[in-house]
Amino acid sequence: MVLVLLCSLTACTTKTEESTENANESGSGTVTEETENQENSEETEGVADITEGDYEIKIVSTDDPESAYQTFLDAVSFIENDSDWEVFIDGYRINSDQRAERYACLVEGAAEEDWDSMSYYERFLYQETYLEFAWGIYVERYDYYFGSIENFKEAIADSVVSAIKSVENQEEAAQVLNAYLDLASWQYSYIQEYGAPYNFINNRSYYEEVGGSGEEESEEAVPETSEADGFTIAQLSNDSCEIVGCILGYSEAIDSLIVPDTINGLTVIGIGSGAFVNNIAKEITLPDTVEYISEKAFYMCDMETLNLGSGLKKIEESGILSCNELTSLTFPDGMESMGACSFSGAGALVEVYIPASVTDIGQDSSGKAVITYPASCPNVVIVTPSGSLAEEVALENKLTVQNP
């Protein structure tokens, strides 16, 4: 598995060795200036490609999980104590409550406290080699996560690839990226064959961890979905649904995208995880019927404005993530719960209104409630009534606060 147009580290090393041998044969005893320039050119060319173009997930052999995982560890273990990877690894401290719950659900005999005691590097290993894949099966959204390679990339791989590419040391990033893509391809292939992922760390399958054989779950693995009006929905009950995908605002730029309150006769009450990944609409409007926004529902979108309906009660952790054009947010009066860092990675965000009705704000791994981190939204001002929970938490988070 290789990144498109990215030369492998092995190939670059081989070229370097050949150049050194040629220089020695010429009697110099050291690499010539010309050879050094050639090596630097080759290295720069290979590294530059990591920030360009698409990447590849493909079907591979899944005969030897132990070897596949060991190869991955050999390639990435250095990041645990490498200063260039501190920010990347530190990312696994957020969403801790949610990830701890998933860990306890998806690993036999595990407890949330076990997750809290892990290092951030250990969390990275568990999250990106097993938990992220297993969650798609656990919540019975096989089609959304694994229905196609493109679905898999959008729902799981894109965010990891983006985070790896952001590491300053691009040579190391190339090594980690290739290792991750190899393992992701392995898991995708295994899921296509067996219907669920493999837990490399415990050396056992998903169904050995959570129970069942996969046969009885197979009919439920793909939830009932349908498409209408440019949206993909998952039916939640006889009269309600959530948005799980959208084809509007991708192939053609649009100024305004309005989510209807009913689709196929079903009331839209939620925005599912990944529903608007990479959407390029400049303005998105949700109906008053929407009660919740799931994790990464709005991820790497180009929207400048997000109009939230009056019925919104909850936004999960990272519900709005890396939407760098977004300038303001107004959470409606009556909203009750916000996950930790429910909005983050928004450099243009200057104002967020949070009502006094919010009585629950999620915590990070240290047990500290977090609205967002100042470094993630450096220009934001939290507008909230005096004496509100949001005011208290925002001040603890060292965010600028303004009372209306």
Side-chain angles (χ1 to χ4, degrees):
M1 180 64 243
V2 294
L3 181 66
V4 175
L5 296 181
L6 179 63
C7 75
S8 69
L9 296 180
T10 302
C12 289
T13 302
T14 301
K15 290 179 180 179
T16 301
E17 291 172 350
E18 291 175 349
S19 298
T20 303
E21 289 174 359
N22 290 338
N24 288 336
E25 289 174 0
S26 68
S28 64
T30 59
V31 180
T32 64
E33 181 178 354
E34 180 180 357
T35 304
E36 288 177 345
N37 291 337
Q38 179 182 354
E39 291 171 6
N40 293 335
S41 175
E42 288 169 350
E43 180 179 344
T44 302
E45 181 180 356
V47 170
D49 286 339
I50 194 173
T51 63
E52 300 171 0
D54 198 4
Y55 61 91
E56 186 180 4
I57 297 292
K58 63 183 180 182
I59 299 297
V60 298
S61 171
T62 60
D63 292 340
D64 191 353
E66 184 175 350
S67 176
Y69 186 57
Q70 188 58 54
T71 299
F72 174 77
L73 289 179
D74 290 344
V76 307
S77 60
F78 74 93
I79 74 175
E80 182 175 13
N81 300 304
D82 190 316
S83 60
D84 288 336
W85 290 83
E86 285 181 359
V87 174
F88 175 85
I89 291 298
D90 195 51
Y92 290 87
R93 69 173 174 152
I94 66 171
N95 300 341
S96 181
D97 290 346
Q98 181 188 67
R99 287 171 172 170
E101 290 174 3
R102 293 184 180 184
Y103 173 71
C105 287
L106 299 170
V107 178
E108 184 181 20
E112 294 182 28
E113 293 77 12
D114 300 333
W115 181 265
D116 294 335
S117 66
M118 289 185 190
S119 70
Y120 299 154
Y121 172 73
E122 290 171 329
R123 293 182 187 182
F124 156 71
L125 293 179
Y126 242 120
Q127 178 72 20
E128 306 307 349
T129 69
Y130 173 66
L131 294 180
E132 192 71 17
F133 308 99
W135 185 247
I137 304 300
Y138 186 81
V139 297
E140 300 181 352
R141 297 189 62 188
Y142 183 96
D143 189 53
Y144 170 73
Y145 283 89
F146 310 112
S148 69
I149 286 178
E150 288 306 311
N151 285 12
F152 177 76
K153 290 165 73 172
E154 288 188 4
I156 294 180
D158 276 356
S159 59
V160 186
V161 170
S162 178
I164 293 172
K165 286 183 175 182
S166 69
V167 174
E168 184 175 355
N169 187 322
Q170 292 286 276
E171 183 177 358
E172 292 181 354
Q175 177 175 325
V176 174
L177 179 60
N178 285 336
Y180 169 75
L181 293 177
D182 282 345
L183 199 74
S185 290
W186 195 102
Q187 278 286 31
Y188 179 79
S189 302
Y190 188 89
I191 292 166
Q192 297 303 305
E193 185 173 356
Y194 297 104
Y198 190 84
N199 186 343
F200 295 101
I201 295 174
N202 286 354
N203 197 28
R204 52 195 284 160
S205 72
Y206 168 88
Y207 292 116
E208 289 177 299
E209 293 285 13
V210 303
S213 64
E215 296 178 358
E216 63 272 23
E217 289 89 343
S218 60
E219 293 184 358
E220 299 178 359
V222 182
E224 183 177 350
T225 61
S226 58
E227 294 184 3
D229 304 325
F231 299 93
T232 302
I233 61 172
Q235 186 168 344
L236 303 176
S237 68
N238 290 334
D239 57 6
S240 66
C241 67
E242 70 172 11
I243 303 289
V244 297
C246 175
I247 63 173
L248 305 173
Y250 287 94
S251 58
E252 295 181 3
I254 57 176
D255 292 330
S256 179
L257 195 165
I258 299 176
V259 177
D261 56 8
T262 59
I263 298 177
N264 285 353
L266 302 172
T267 302
V268 178
I269 66 169
I271 307 299
S273 178
F276 291 92
V277 172
N278 293 319
N279 196 283
I280 61 175
K282 294 301 181 184
E283 180 178 14
I284 298 177
T285 300
L286 303 185
D288 293 337
T289 56
V290 168
E291 300 174 3
Y292 65 87
I293 295 174
S294 300
E295 179 187 13
K296 294 183 182 178
F298 298 94
Y299 177 55
M300 297 184 72
C301 299
D302 288 349
M303 61 186 179
E304 299 171 359
T305 303
L306 175 60
N307 300 310
L308 303 172
S310 62
L312 185 66
K313 300 298 182 185
K314 178 180 181 179
I315 179 170
E316 293 185 359
E317 298 172 355
S318 301
I320 302 169
L321 178 63
S322 298
C323 298
N324 292 317
E325 304 301 320
L326 187 64
T327 57
S328 66
L329 274 172
T330 299
F331 291 106
D333 292 325
M335 184 169 160
E336 300 170 354
S337 177
M338 302 176 67
C341 292
S342 54
F343 59 90
S344 62
L349 195 60
V350 295
E351 182 176 292
V352 175
Y353 173 76
I354 302 176
S357 57
V358 172
T359 57
D360 177 47
I361 297 176
Q363 300 176 342
D364 65 10
S365 60
S366 67
K368 176 182 176 182
V370 178
I371 293 175
T372 194
Y373 292 111
S376 179
C377 299
N379 303 307
V380 72
V381 174
I382 303 299
V383 180
T384 188
S386 177
S388 67
L389 175 63
E391 179 186 49
E392 176 186 344
V393 173
L395 291 173
E396 291 176 353
N397 297 161
K398 302 188 183 305
L399 299 168
T400 302
V401 176
Q402 177 182 318
N403 300 131

